[in-house]
Amino acid sequence: MFRFRGLLTLLVVLLCAYPGHAQQQPMRVLVQDPTGLPIRGAIIRDPSGSILGSTGKDGVFTLPHSEASLRIEAAGFVTATVNEKQEPALRVTLARRQESVTVTAYRTPLAAMDSPASTRILTQSQLQQGAAPALDGKLRQVPGVELFRRTSSLISNPTSQGISLRGLGSTAASRTLVVSDDVPLNDPFGGWIHWEELPELSIRSAEVVRGGASDLYGSSAIGGVVSLNPVEPTGDSFIVSSSHGGDNTNDDALFGSLVRGAWSGLATGGILGTDGYTLVAPNLRGPIDTPYNDHAENGLVLLQRRIRDNGRIYLRGNGFNEARDNGTPIQKNATRLWRFSSGVDWEDFVLRLYGSSEHYRQTFSAIAPGRASEKLTRFAQDPATELGAQLHWRHAMGEHMLALAGADTHDVRGSDNGLLVSAGGIRLDTTARQRQTGFYGEVLLTPARWTLSGSARIDHFSNFDAAQYKNAVRTAEPATSETVFNPRLGITRRITKDFALNASAFRAFRAPTINELYRQGQINQQITLANPNLRSERATGWETGGVLNLERWNSTVRGSYFWTQVNRPITALTLSVTPTETLLQRANLGQFESRGVSIDFESAPRSWLSLDGGYQYADATVTKFQQQPALVGKWIPQVARNMATTQVRFSNPRLGLLSLQGRLSGRQFDDDRNFYLLHGYFRLDVYASRQFGRHAEFFASAENLFDRAIEVGRTPILTLGTPRLARFGVRLHWN
């Protein structure tokens, strides 16, 4: 009997050791979204469709044994089928369905189909796959997004980096507000955007809201709002990314995060730069023409503590430093910017305290005919500080009603300290202070298939303590003060679960910046004089359209007709033109209008194929100006009537990813009189990547693949956009 039992035991051991009868080990499945956040409640099914279980709050489910394949489902995400690879741990990333959730337009989560506002979201993957290294180039994937000029921020003067939406154009200042975690990023002195300020690995996604939003955000939101949603530390991770390419262009970044109980933090930074190229058209160049270039460093640190289940208290600080050559040996500028923010998110309340300290300096020159020589004319330093605070409250009142109220204040102190070399060394300094305080409220109703919204805001802003010192002799500058009221109404009706109609109407405003009021600017041979008597811009607009969700093809199409009228828009009026110089002055124009249509589409018809893009037609013209009637009917400078973008992405786990990004822009003008025509263009960019193992990814990109000569400015010298430029890089990550 003992011998029989021994033989039986030996037989069982041999069967278990035999590969075909190996004991199955438990397998851990982690389900996450494209940003790396765990998905709670994802359903796990076997090949027959039977439910095996669901993921917990950490996105993990443990299978007792292996299956030939698994089907994973989660609300709001595309269902995925994966083949089990006999691994003890499996990580599955689910793509979001095209009906995404937006937050920025109404400061509360709202399904895109239910939102009256026209919103596009660029995920971290889409931003990463943009061929251009700087953020502004990535945002141009959205149709209608354009800077004041067509150039990349890597090779353009910071004072020309105002962002334009809905065909409203911009000058030095932006008519669109850019925020990160509710903190404004527009330059406190000039209103332009430092596109290299935030480390690229610190941005989780970007929401682009088109249409006036001053009812919630105050000044500068005439064209809309761009919200850069920051990465949150959700675990221990480390990322290294490095790429190099033509024109000695480099983009290097580091990211690290830690989570220890209720405490978490991250640190990230980068170096971004290029030796650039000569912008002046080849047939117009002279001995003084040198490449435009930019070399910048940035860094960000975050420390936060979780409060209960969904609250937090945090402290964030970031720094930015850059130096630029602006195309000649003398014309240079540099920026050093420090920014901090802290806040509390607790139940229904959000509190933000923030500030910044900036030092900007620039040299100016006069260029001789033939561009054979130049002479230093002015050296300026422009220090500025800002402090701000905001508090808003949000509360659900029943199942179908949400109320929101808030207040904010923003104080800026700046000065323009100049040495007029061409006038014998005269010191000309100007100091000024601005303050804006606003109160706002909003009600959101969602009965049945309706979404109704109403919001309003009152702002009081003032420019004061302004004075000019000429060789220490003080002269007071005009002080201004205005109070403005900005409401917004919106309505959406779901005709079916996949089709909705919407409409909205708004008022918005933008206060003039210290730069526009008191500082003389120069780009190439174009000099722009300040105007201390500027008043705020006021905009009235509406739009209507519809959203169609084609679930069978995992596609969404959104169309809108928009109309915006801006009264007293601040523009640069031409005073005189010579062969070597154009002289402009900032002034309140009478009125202009922008009307048109926009169509956006997002589609992922196959697991290996996705397409998105759109088209915008914008008829933006001057409609009223009594002082210069000849300008009525002229196009708004730097606004193309026709603009389209498209991105096609092919992906395969074995072959990698290939993204083709096309951009088409019609003709436009570079001046208020429409004398300087910039012809239309088509540009094709390419991005490709391939994963090697679990921790390494190699990628390559090419901008302007066909090497088109793209006209970007006439100041009055013709300048050209980025030529063909290739980069190659590697990305290493440990999570």
Side-chain angles (χ1 to χ4, degrees), residues 144-148 162-170 174-176 223 638-639:
V145 173
E146 187 58 272
L147 296 192
F148 174 46
I163 185 174
S164 169
L165 292 176
R166 283 295 190 241
L168 296 179
S170 62
S174 175
R175 291 193 174 103
T176 296
Q638 292 289 346
V639 175

Side-chain angles (χ1 to χ4, degrees), residues 307-533:
I307 304 175
R308 294 185 180 177
D309 293 332
N310 55 1
R312 64 164 180 158
I313 181 170
Y314 81 91
L315 178 65
R316 178 188 292 114
N318 66 280
F320 170 65
N321 181 72
E322 73 167 358
R324 294 175 180 265
D325 290 339
N326 293 321
T328 71
I330 291 180
Q331 294 187 15
K332 303 176 184 291
N333 68 264
T335 303
R336 181 165 294 170
L337 174 66
W338 299 97
R339 194 186 301 275
F340 78 89
S341 68
S342 62
V344 178
D345 298 347
W346 183 68
E347 294 185 351
D348 294 335
F349 292 91
V350 174
L351 172 68
R352 296 289 183 268
L353 304 172
Y354 62 91
S356 71
S357 175
E358 178 187 32
H359 187 83
Y360 177 84
R361 63 184 185 273
Q362 184 170 353
T363 53
F364 305 85
S365 71
I367 298 175
R371 306 185 67 81
S373 64
E374 64 174 337
K375 182 189 300 183
L376 178 67
T377 58
R378 183 171 178 257
F379 173 75
Q381 299 186 70
D382 300 282
T385 60
E386 70 172 331
L387 288 173
Q390 56 180 273
L391 172 68
H392 72 256
W393 165 85
R394 182 181 65 199
H395 186 69
M397 298 179 177
E399 186 179 352
H400 301 293
M401 180 176 176
L402 182 75
L404 184 145
D408 53 52
T409 185
H410 186 211
D411 186 274
V412 178
R413 305 184 186 202
S415 61
D416 177 41
N417 305 322
L419 177 65
L420 305 182
V421 179
S422 58
I426 295 176
R427 292 287 312 182
L428 188 63
D429 303 333
T430 303
T431 62
R433 187 175 176 185
Q434 287 187 327
R435 180 179 296 155
Q436 175 187 313
T437 301
F439 301 88
Y440 58 89
E442 179 181 37
V443 175
L444 193 67
L445 301 173
T446 58
R449 295 184 175 182
W450 294 88
T451 300
L452 308 172
S453 65
S455 53
R457 178 183 174 109
I458 296 178
D459 279 285
H460 178 79
F461 71 89
S462 56
N463 302 300
F464 57 101
D465 289 349
Q468 187 178 91
Y469 298 84
K470 187 173 183 179
N471 285 342
V473 178
R474 184 181 187 276
T475 303
E477 293 285 349
T480 61
S481 177
E482 295 185 52
T483 300
V484 296
F485 174 70
N486 295 291
R488 181 170 57 159
L489 296 173
I491 182 172
T492 298
R493 175 68 161 90
R494 285 218 185 199
I495 308 303
T496 68
K497 71 180 184 68
D498 294 321
F499 177 59
L501 297 175
N502 56 68
S504 63
F506 65 88
R507 291 199 64 191
F509 85 104
R510 184 181 74 84
T513 65
I514 294 177
N515 176 72
E516 292 171 312
L517 290 165
Y518 308 114
R519 175 182 175 272
Q520 175 180 306
Q522 180 178 345
I523 297 178
N524 296 327
Q525 294 169 260
Q526 187 180 79
I527 298 175
T528 305
L529 303 178
N531 185 346
N533 297 305

Side-chain angles (χ1 to χ4, degrees), residues 120 136 322-323 342 432 475 607 625 648 702 734:
R120 282 287 296 270
D136 61 301
E322 73 167 358
S342 62
T475 303
S607 60
F625 193 33
V648 183
W734 292 268

Side-chain angles (χ1 to χ4, degrees), residues 175-296:
R175 291 193 174 103
T176 296
L177 181 66
V178 180
V179 300
S180 176
D181 202 9
D182 290 330
V183 175
L185 297 183
N186 295 49
D187 185 272
F189 183 84
W192 49 76
I193 314 298
H194 300 286
W195 293 108
E196 291 86 50
E197 175 186 345
L198 292 180
E200 61 181 282
L201 297 179
S202 71
I203 302 173
R204 174 169 54 88
S205 64
E207 290 186 34
V208 181
V209 180
R210 291 166 293 189
S214 286
D215 58 303
L216 297 181
Y217 292 91
S219 179
S220 300
I222 287 180
V225 178
V226 176
S227 178
L228 305 176
N229 302 313
V231 168
E232 295 289 339
T234 58
D236 297 351
S237 63
F238 182 71
I239 304 173
V240 181
S241 178
S242 180
S243 68
H244 295 264
D247 293 338
N248 200 23
T249 300
N250 67 284
D251 182 11
D252 304 306
L254 288 172
F255 175 92
S257 66
L258 290 173
V259 176
R260 295 293 180 269
W263 290 90
S264 61
L266 64 83
T268 180
I271 300 174
L272 178 62
T274 180
D275 286 349
Y277 64 96
T278 303
L279 267 70
V280 176
N283 61 316
L284 301 175
R285 293 173 187 169
I288 66 166
D289 288 308
T290 60
Y292 277 67
N293 61 65
D294 179 30
H295 295 88

Side-chain angles (χ1 to χ4, degrees), residues 609-630:
L609 173 66
S610 66
L611 306 93
D612 58 82
Y615 166 77
Q616 175 181 284
Y617 171 82
D619 182 7
T621 58
V622 177
T623 54
K624 186 186 300 182
F625 193 33
Q626 294 181 355
Q627 290 84 344
Q628 296 187 38

Side-chain angles (χ1 to χ4, degrees), residues 668-682:
Q668 60 192 51
F669 293 95
D670 196 23
D671 68 314
D672 58 318
R673 302 174 303 164
N674 291 182
F675 281 6
Y676 299 131
L677 174 67
L678 302 176
H679 293 89
Y681 70 90
F682 172 76

